[in-house]
Each structure stands twice: as structure tokens, then as C-alpha cells.
Amino acid sequence: MTQHHQFEAVIVGAGGAGLMAALHAARSAKVAVISKLYPTRSHTGTAQGGIAAALANMEEDHWEWHMYDTVKGGDYLVDQDAAEILAREAIEAVIELEHMGLPFDRTPDGRIEQRRFGGHTAEHGKRPVMRACKSADRTGHMILQTLFQNCVKQQVTFFDEYFVADLILEDNVCRGVVAMDIASGEMHVFHAKAVMLATGGFGRMFKVTSNAHSLTGDPVAAAYRRGVPLEDMEFFQFHPTGIYRMGILLSEAARGEGGVFINGQGERFMERYAPTMKDLASRDVCSRCIYLEVKAGRGIGGKDYVYLDIRPETINRYKSAPGGRTVTAHELETKLPDIIEMMRIYQGVEPMREPVPIQPTAHYAMGGIPTDSSGRVRANEGPGFVTGLFAAGESACVSVHGANRLGTNSLVDLVVFGRRGGRAMARFCQQAAFAPLPADPQAAVVAELERIRANTGQEKAGALRAEMQAIMMDNVSVFRDAGLISAAQAKVRELKERFAHVQIDDKGRRFNTDLLEAFELGCLLDLADVTASSALARTESRGAHSREDYPQRDDANWLKHTFAFAGQPSGAGLAMGEVRLAYRPVVVTKFEPKERVY
Ligand SMILES: Cc1cc2nc3c(=O)[nH]c(=O)nc-3n(C[C@H](O)[C@H](O)[C@H](O)COP(=O)(O)OP(=O)(O)OC[C@H]3O[C@@H](n4cnc5c(N)ncnc54)[C@H](O)[C@@H]3O)c2cc1C
């Protein structure tokens, strides 16, 4: 039996973006938030380092400097009209969070305390600036709890542990979503005037990642399968400091407080590559430098990792703390409690006495569902929009991060564009009627889930997933070339064929995570195909997309966004065939593209 619901606005995802949108949409519309996780388990809760806003509480700062850093950090692929909104509205959005009760760290005189972060500078690149607002290294946790409590107060309706598997989208009008109640296995159709996708990233396509197990991009794949384009999917950020082999994140805040990278020869190698910003150069730059050091045989013991060193004696020797201050172990423990704990627990390292082995880890999708600055989803590379469909947060591409996101700019993206998207949905709901539902909107998803449940093929989802993650990690990560990417694309397409023969062990209905994990794998395979296809076509190096066969940035030919569309279904199930690519110009307002020097 399928259950039916009607809400004016349905928001898929209860992370920072979804909850911020819900708070603002709920001021005038009847809103439901659907989440496959209990809301406070969303990945936003793991964000550590901070949220950027040019509050200038510690030293001189301006929103224009923040905008400039964002554009430069994104290697000029950023739409500058959107970056201006991000940098300007960051300030009031952070104050709004403060007024909701978020417990930010404070300066002695009671203002929000700020710290340094990679790529954030004063006077257009002259020196690092303290711009990241924070609650120790648990900033995302505090944001998520604060927003959730405010949503409860505002009586937003939540559907917790409901898995959205399809969009109801016909004739370019979004009419709702189809979801499964994970506990019962029952299908639910949500009829809506406006739908927002705020479903986070999809880093689980890579083997070493900072991303939670849930970050599989299912609703992004659902939109793609329904004809919505995906923008700039070749740009996936590798964060330089993942715990070696595990990928668990150690926030850039460690370097903001003075931590440095050290190679196998005991050298602080970032001084060579980025003389001004050093260890606080942007993430794409640091990750590439680590790979180059490893390739030159200067990894630790000649192996494929380097050290992150946050020992007070090292920081004090290099005078790498803000202002060249002397730091103590006690101060670091207060400012970085969680990540120091993680180093101890997961690595068995005592970071006050030993350096910590790290390697780049798949961290953030710059690409996603294309939107304008009100969260409206673009229907194509031209001026068209999908009526009634919105997106925000990591699953969206506004694009404020361009080819590489700066640290602390995601949390601000969530609140600035979540809020704008929520308000735009509310306005839309006031003037729009409910578009009629097609007959049996759940049919395609039910058929796919039943196909997987009943399949008697020989393939196992876990094995296919491991093969996908390995090839994407080896061939489509920090450095790429045509040979590597083509091999990955061919492999992903082979895996899609084999996915048609996946057999699961649990044939039941209740809490069938076996079934849902197989379904998620199908989604990841489509997104991996789009990532590889978009990367193969872009014959230049820019931001996180670094081609060894095309090492230069090529503004004459490539100062443009990729839009990827699904071809016809490839056979069994919902998996899509060939990817079709189109391009859209980048919006340049204030800053002409220049060579990036850190
Ligand atoms: C370890 C870590 C640390 C980070 N630290 C920082 C930082 O310090 N500063 C910063 O700016 N950024 C940081 N980031 C990035 C930032 O946290 C994320 O980009 C951001 O939190 C994403 O928020 P979101 O609202 O888009 O999605 P998420 O918080 O990921 O939430 C996604 C939501 O979508 C729901 N969902 C997904 N699929 C489905 C489905 N099929 N059906 C129903 N619901 C679904 C989930 O249940 C969840 O509620 C960090 C990221 C990681 C992984």
C-alpha cells in the first residue's frame, strides 16, 4: 500500500542547508522535511573547523576580500555574482545563527572569536586573515543542533528515516517525491508545489573519503535520471589532511592554529610551493604538493604519506601560529579537542609529542544540481528553470566554489543559500497551485526496488562498490590524464552492466538496508560516470581538476561550466547510458582571471 501526503513545500535533507531552508519556508508555507537519517545525524554535524564571515572581530576584514578569496580559490570558475552574495550575506547569516542561540567561541570582550583558514586572506592575498567563526572544532555540530531545535520550535513536520528514491517530474514541472519509510518498507508519495533537494555530497564514490557512509547522492542521481543536468561534476575536492588510509578528516583548523606539513626529509615543504600562504594555501594546491612530494620519494619512509605536525615545539620553532605567537599544548587541546582525540583514538598517535601521518581524502563535491542564487534549479545550460524544483547546500552548484572550495565556505553556503532557497520556495508556494500528479508516480521506483529484491544474479553490491571506489581513487583523484580517466569511465560502465545482476541476501521489507545500499550503489555509479565523463572532456587543469596531459589552465577555451545530461537508460533498471555534455559561460563581474599564486 502506498501512502499519500500533501505539503506545499517538501525539503529533502535535514543537514544545514535543508534545515535553514525549512526555517525560512515555514514562515508562510506548510513544510515537510524528509531525511533518510535522523536529522541530527546529517553530515553537517561533523563539520569541524568553522564558518567564514568577514566580521572583522579580530583584525581588519571586508566582504570584498572574502569574495576575492572565494573567486581565486575556485580558480576563477566561480560565478562572481553568487560569490558576492555569499560574502556579503555571510555576515548577517552568522549573526542570525548567533541570535538563534548558537554557542560560538568568544573573545574576552564577548564577540565571536575567529581563526585562520586555508586561502582566506587580507588585502587580496597579502597575508592570512582570521575569518572563520567557530565553536572549538565542533562548529557543524552546533549549527545542526541549533537549526534542528529551531525547526522543532517552529513546528516543522519531519519524516525521519524516509529514503527518497525518485522525483515526480513531468513536463519540466516538479510535483513531489517518492520515498520509502525505511522502518516498514512502505512507499510514500509526497505531493508538493515546491521541492528542494538539500541532500549533501556523494564522496562515497571514492575509496579514501572523509564523507559519511550515507553520502551517496541518491536524490541527485534521481534528478539526473529525470533529465535535470548536473554541473561541474569533474571538480571533486581532495582535502589534504585525511587520517592515513582511513580518510577521516583532520580539519584545516589544525593548520589555522599553526600546524605544518613535514615530508620524509623533515622539511616544511609548503614553503617551497606557496611562499606567502605556506601550509594555508588552498586545498587543491596542498593536496597536489603532497602527491608531488610522495612521487619524488619524499613521503615518510618513502611511502605514500606525509606528516601533519601540530606539536607546540614545531609550531613555536616555525612561528607558524597566528601573529607568530607562542602556543602551548593546553591551548591547542582547547581549540582542537575533537581532532586531537581522533588522532589519539584512530591512529594511536600522541599529537603533542609525535607528528601525525596524513594523506589527501575525497572531501567535497564542488559540482551538483545547477541553481541560481535563489536556489531555483536550471533546466539546461541556457536561461530555463525547472518549475517547482529547488536545490541548496553541497548537492547544489550555485556556483560559489567553482573549481575548488575554500575551507569554511561550505557552512556559509548552506546558511546563505539555504535561507534564500527557503524564502524563494515560500514565495513560489504563495502564487503556485498544486500541479496534478501522474497516475502511479511510485511505479518506476517500486519496479526497480522489486527488480533488485528478486534478482538472482551473481553480483554482490559490496564487491561492485569496492571496485568503483578503487578505480575512482586511483584514476580520477588528485592527478588525472586521458588514459586514466578513460579507463575509469570504461570500468564504471562495466560495473553498471554488472549492477543489473546484483543479488541481495535480505528479501524482507522492514529495515532492508541491504536493498537500500544496493540502490545507493546504482546512484553512485551514475554519478561516477558523470564525474569521469565531465573530467575526460575538460582538457585543461583548473582547481581540483589537474590533468597531467593538459597542465595549464586554459581560459580561452575552458572558462565555462560543464552541464551533463543523462542519455537513454542503459538497459536494466534505472542506470543511465551515455552522458551528454553542454557548457555555460562563467559570470565574471569584479575579478578578471589571473594566475593563482599563494
Ligand atoms: C568531516 C567533515 C568536516 C567538514 N568541516 C567543514 C567545516 O569546518 N567548514 C565547512 O564550511 N565545511 C565543512 N565540511 C563540509 C560541510 O560540512 C558539508 O558540505 C555540508 O555540511 C553539507 O551540508 P548539506 O546540508 O548540504 O548536507 P548534509 O549535512 O550532508 O545532509 C544531507 C541530508 O540529506 C539527507 N538525504 C540524503 N539522501 C537522502 C535520501 N535518499 N532520502 C532522504 N534524505 C536523504 C540526509 O539524511 C541528510 O539529512 C565538512 C565536511 C566533512 C565531511
Side-chain angles (χ1 to χ4, degrees), residues 534-581:
S534 305
L536 186 59
R538 186 175 283 271
T539 49
E540 65 156 354
S541 288
R542 183 186 296 274
H545 174 67
S546 202
R547 294 268 309 238
E548 289 192 286
D549 45 355
Y550 294 94
Q552 301 303 324
R553 196 176 80 195
D554 176 2
D555 289 331
N557 293 303
W558 287 105
L559 191 61
K560 56 189 183 187
H561 299 290
T562 306
F563 273 56
F565 297 83
Q568 292 303 307
S570 66
L574 295 180
M576 303 311 288
E578 292 286 310
V579 180
R580 180 174 72 77
L581 300 176

Side-chain angles (χ1 to χ4, degrees), residues 35-38 159-163 180-183 511:
S35 173
K36 71 177 177 182
L37 302 173
Y38 187 75
F159 291 85
D160 300 335
E161 302 189 338
Y162 276 55
F163 187 103
M180 180 202 268
D181 174 4
I182 300 174
F511 278 111

Side-chain angles (χ1 to χ4, degrees), residues 123-141:
E123 290 187 70
H124 309 106
K126 290 227 174 86
R127 59 186 177 275
V129 74
M130 290 185 252
R131 185 178 290 151
C133 313
K134 54 172 180 112
S135 281
D137 54 3
R138 311 177 178 124
T139 314
H141 172 85

Side-chain angles (χ1 to χ4, degrees), residues 13-14 16-17 35-37 42-44 47 49-50 164 218 364 394 408 410-411:
S35 173
K36 71 177 177 182
L37 302 173
S42 303
H43 193 75
T44 296
V164 171
D218 344 305
Y364 185 84
E394 192 172 338
T408 67
S410 173
L411 292 178

Side-chain angles (χ1 to χ4, degrees), residues 463-474:
L464 297 188
R465 187 185 311 112
E467 287 188 44
M468 170 192 65
Q469 290 171 334
I471 192 94
M472 290 300 286
M473 192 73 198
D474 291 343

Side-chain angles (χ1 to χ4, degrees), residues 8 44 238 274 279 342 350 356 416 482 508:
E8 287 181 292
T44 296
F238 280 73
D279 306 272
M342 284 185 210
E350 176 39 62
V356 183
V416 167

Side-chain angles (χ1 to χ4, degrees), residues 309-448:
D309 194 339
I310 63 162
R311 289 176 293 183
E313 55 167 288
T314 308
I315 295 177
N316 294 336
R317 176 152 41 92
Y318 287 115
K319 300 193 185 328
S320 49
R325 274 188 300 109
T326 303
V327 298
T328 62
H330 174 73
E331 187 185 335
L332 292 172
E333 299 257 11
T334 316
K335 291 191 165 157
L336 307 167
D338 281 6
I339 65 169
I340 288 177
E341 189 75 1
M342 284 185 210
M343 293 166 179
R344 288 181 178 136
I345 291 177
Y346 294 109
Q347 267 170 324
V349 168
E350 176 39 62
M352 295 299 110
R353 287 199 304 274
E354 300 165 273
V356 183
I358 54 95
Q359 77 178 117
T361 182
H363 183 59
Y364 185 84
M366 270 74 73
I369 300 168
T371 70
D372 71 355
S373 55
S374 299
R376 295 191 299 160
V377 171
R378 297 187 189 280
N380 50 48
E381 71 280 17
F385 290 93
V386 181
T387 306
L389 186 59
F390 297 77
E394 192 172 338
S395 58
C397 179
V398 182
S399 130
V400 285
H401 308 304
N404 170 64
R405 171 174 75 78
L406 291 187
T408 67
N409 260 359
S410 173
L411 292 178
V412 70
D413 172 3
L414 308 183
V415 294
V416 167
F417 292 101
R419 182 165 79 153
R420 285 181 148 255
R423 287 176 181 164
M425 284 176 99
R427 284 196 301 274
F428 177 82
C429 289
Q430 276 171 350
Q431 50 87 17
F434 281 95
L437 284 182
D440 293 334
Q442 73 282 9
V445 163
V446 170
E448 171 70 344

